[in-house]
Amino acid sequence: MRAMVYRGPYKIRIEEKDIPRIEHPNDAIVRVTKAAICGSDLHLYHGLMPDTRVGTTFGHEFIGIVHEVGPSVEKLAVGDRVMVPFNIFCGSCFFCARGLFSNCHNVNPNATAVGGIYGYSHTSGGYDGGQAEFVRVPFADVGPSVIPDGLDDEDALLMTDALATGYFGAQLGDIHEGDTVVVFGAGPVGLYAAKSSWFMGAGRVIVVDHLEYRLAKAREFAHAETYNFAEHDDIVVTMKRATDHLGADVVIDAVGAEADGNLVQHVTAAKLKLQGGSPIALNWAIDSVRKGGTVSVMGAYGPIFSAVKFGDAMNKGLTLRMNQCPAKRQWPRLLEHVRNGHLKPSDIVTHRIPLEEIAEGYHLFSSKLDGCIKTIITTDAA
Amino acid sequence: MSDLPDLPYIADKPAPRESVDALRARIPGWGVDLDPADRPAVPREQHAPEGTGAHWDFPDRQPELSPRERSIEHSMLTPVFGTVAPLRGVSGAVRRYAYRYSEARAAHWLLLIAGDRIDSVGSHVKSFATLRPDNPLTETGLLAEFRYQGLRSRIGRRRVDGYHAWLDPIIVAGPWVVAGIVTVKLAGKLLSAARR
């Protein structure tokens, strides 16, 4: 089969690989029909995530058709059209039993601090991802769901991570009616978090980024007020002025490890890899939220230290909430919202490219060319 | 009372900028998840093991066909694990050593990053002994610069990443340039030593 293969920082290519095989009785092999490039894939692509091995295939957002099932699989059959959450989880460990699917303890031998994620380095379990024609899907009775009739392929694909994560980020903000919510980052997760904040009764939603075309999408798709931090000397002061000097009730970090806006932080983290992630957006969140407010962190960071302003967080009495999203837990409600017309997930898709051109797809997304917000990968196998 | 200062120096909440009715009219789906207790992520720990789809108390164990590294914070190898790109060569030795340290230790992660760099450099060098050597032009996706309006996407856009974009080629190509210079110098010294 053809698969995207990592060759080292900033380098990927398409290679022929063996079709994955059933390695556990509850495995399925899924023929991928659509995959996406996620912002967090860029952390791997740029060499930020420890134990990212040459030869691995990225991709934790994908949908496809069941090609083969292991002997203990009961709920899926060959030919089923499935959406697969980005988390790999067993459904039966201490954490899964409590709904913390993203924190499963039975799927990642390489680390206890993170669960299993498709195509997200050995630090997340050493599984290949779905930017390929086929992918191994462990715990087929637990993770994937048959795509409901009437749900568009692209909408289903976006539920596997970006949409679920944005929606989850708004939930972790514990938004109450009339709250002012600031979202740092107008990428896919930030756009969905901003949109979801309204569902939870926000009175104002403000989105901050430095890419004007993304802010335009935030205004159109998420009905948000927008600020371009490149046009403000100090975005924290601007946020204070915009919120009656009180600060926002809730701030969502939808940027993560490669945040821009402070040259020293960005270069030491994203370029020189001396930090687990560039905490610029997180620090702005801590400083922009009101005292006693909540910061929800959806941006992904690496496992080593970052220069985060915990002193301010402590002194302000903040609630900091964060996790990898347990995507499947969000699906029933998100399906309702899509069916009811509150949300059209694929409205943020800007590029659709064949698997063969994935190296250009990564560069396009990484360098934010051509108004890129979300890129979808299609395979000929589809 | 007009001499009272503004928020937040007084106790009042900010006045709503828009009424609920106006928000409902303007924003599709406004307030559909208004009740904080009726959201999918609430409660955080929702004890419902019967609803996950698992039909086992503990999963079958995936066969360990070759020794699999694991965090020393795990008491055992997890029943399911990924099998791609097993440890090999020098990078594998460095990574294996990293797994002697817990996830709490910087040594663990820094050794893993060192292993990553050895892996990528070694794989790059080895690729020249194959029929498909690494091609920096196609593998970095640089051709997208022409296809997807590289210049137009940057010029006049006030993008803050422009301040450090010049670092990318240095980070990607720099080590190769340095390695090339060192190789040439070493070769020169060896040649001159051989002539003597």
Side-chain angles (χ1 to χ4, degrees), chain A residues 112-187:
Chain A
T112 56
V114 60
I117 302 176
Y118 293 96
Y120 208 73
S121 82
H122 276 67
T123 294
S124 300
Y127 299 90
D128 262 346
Q131 289 166 5
E133 289 181 304
F134 293 88
V135 61
R136 172 194 172 204
V137 173
F139 294 116
D141 283 332
V142 178
S145 287
V146 172
I147 298 174
D149 288 340
L151 185 67
D152 178 76
D153 269 359
E154 289 188 354
D155 291 338
L157 171 64
L158 291 161
M159 288 212 187
T160 63
D161 180 359
L163 172 59
T165 296
Y167 182 68
F168 182 63
Q171 289 177 82
L172 293 197
D174 196 22
I175 295 165
H176 287 73
E177 185 175 329
D179 276 353
T180 294
V181 179
V182 170
V183 180
F184 282 106

Side-chain angles (χ1 to χ4, degrees), chain A residues 47 51 141 271 329 363 367, chain B residues 43 55 99 117 145 159 168:
Chain A
D51 214 356
D141 283 332
K271 302 300 181 199
R329 198 164 150 178
H363 185 82
S367 301
Chain B
H55 42 87
Y99 281 97
R117 299 298 167 261
E145 290 287 334
R159 293 172 49 159
D168 289 347

Side-chain angles (χ1 to χ4, degrees), chain B:
Chain B
M1 303 303 284
S2 57
D3 58 343
L4 272 180
D6 292 333
L7 283 164
Y9 304 98
I10 57 171
D12 293 345
K13 287 178 69 176
R17 304 222 169 178
E18 276 182 277
S19 69
V20 165
D21 286 343
L23 287 166
R24 275 213 173 90
R26 184 169 73 88
I27 315 282
W30 186 89
V32 288
D33 292 321
L34 199 55
D35 179 2
D38 184 28
R39 295 171 185 167
V42 177
R44 181 172 61 177
E45 296 195 8
Q46 193 177 48
H47 190 251
E50 66 286 349
T52 65
H55 42 87
W56 48 79
D57 292 324
F58 179 75
D60 291 326
R61 282 183 173 280
Q62 177 180 333
E64 185 184 3
L65 299 177
S66 59
R68 180 63 160 79
E69 74 286 353
R70 65 176 169 84
S71 165
I72 60 171
E73 292 180 51
H74 268 300
S75 61
M76 61 173 203
L77 181 65
T78 56
V80 168
F81 49 88
T83 53
V84 300
L87 297 176
R88 63 191 165 92
V90 178
S91 65
V94 172
R95 286 168 170 146
R96 191 173 289 111
Y97 193 75
Y99 281 97
R100 292 169 61 159
Y101 297 96
S102 81
E103 296 158 60
R105 304 280 292 274
H108 174 71
W109 301 112
L110 296 175
L111 281 165
L112 285 176
I113 289 173
D116 290 354
R117 299 298 167 261
I118 294 167
D119 189 12
S120 61
V121 170
S123 300
H124 191 63
V125 171
K126 272 195 278 183
S127 79
F128 292 113
T130 69
L131 292 174
R132 194 182 174 193
D134 275 334
N135 179 337
L137 193 63
T138 57
E139 291 177 11
T140 55
L142 271 179
L143 297 173
E145 290 287 334
F146 306 103
R147 195 163 174 186
Y148 295 106
Q149 311 185 59
L151 277 180
R152 198 193 292 181
S153 301
R154 292 188 176 90
I155 289 174
R157 304 280 175 185
R158 295 198 64 171
R159 293 172 49 159
V160 298
D161 53 346
Y163 296 119
H164 52 73
W166 56 273
L167 274 170
D168 289 347
I170 293 175
I171 287 170
V172 176
W176 298 100
V177 173
V178 172
I181 293 168
V182 170
T183 307
V184 168
K185 287 203 166 178
L186 277 178
K189 280 189 179 172
L190 284 173
L191 270 175
S192 60
R195 279 184 197 134
R196 273 183 299 210

Side-chain angles (χ1 to χ4, degrees), chain A residues 116-296:
Chain A
I117 302 176
Y118 293 96
Y120 208 73
S121 82
H122 276 67
T123 294
S124 300
Y127 299 90
D128 262 346
Q131 289 166 5
E133 289 181 304
F134 293 88
V135 61
R136 172 194 172 204
V137 173
F139 294 116
D141 283 332
V142 178
S145 287
V146 172
I147 298 174
D149 288 340
L151 185 67
D152 178 76
D153 269 359
E154 289 188 354
D155 291 338
L157 171 64
L158 291 161
M159 288 212 187
T160 63
D161 180 359
L163 172 59
T165 296
Y167 182 68
F168 182 63
Q171 289 177 82
L172 293 197
D174 196 22
I175 295 165
H176 287 73
E177 185 175 329
D179 276 353
T180 294
V181 179
V182 170
V183 180
F184 282 106
V189 169
L191 292 169
Y192 291 138
K195 180 96 175 168
S196 303
S197 297
W198 294 120
F199 297 162
M200 291 160 213
R204 285 178 77 192
V205 177
I206 298 168
V207 174
V208 180
D209 202 294
H210 70 110
L211 297 169
E212 193 48 52
Y213 73 89
R214 290 189 171 197
L215 292 171
K217 179 60 87 172
R219 291 190 289 273
E220 171 216 324
F221 174 79
H223 314 281
E225 297 167 48
T226 60
Y227 286 84
N228 184 333
F229 69 78
E231 294 173 356
H232 295 268
D233 183 47
D234 184 333
I235 193 64
V236 170
V237 173
T238 303
M239 287 299 100
K240 289 285 171 64
R241 287 180 181 146
T243 55
D244 302 307
H245 289 273
L246 191 64
D249 299 292
V250 176
V251 180
I252 301 171
D253 165 10
V255 182
E258 293 178 73
D260 233 317
N262 175 311
L263 194 63
V264 173
Q265 288 271 34
H266 181 86
V267 170
T268 54
K271 302 300 181 199
L272 303 178
K273 335 297 190 204
L274 300 175
Q275 299 190 61
S278 159
I280 302 165
L282 180 53
N283 286 337
W284 284 349
I286 287 169
D287 285 329
S288 299
V289 74
R290 72 166 167 82
K291 284 176 259 196
T294 300
V295 172
S296 164

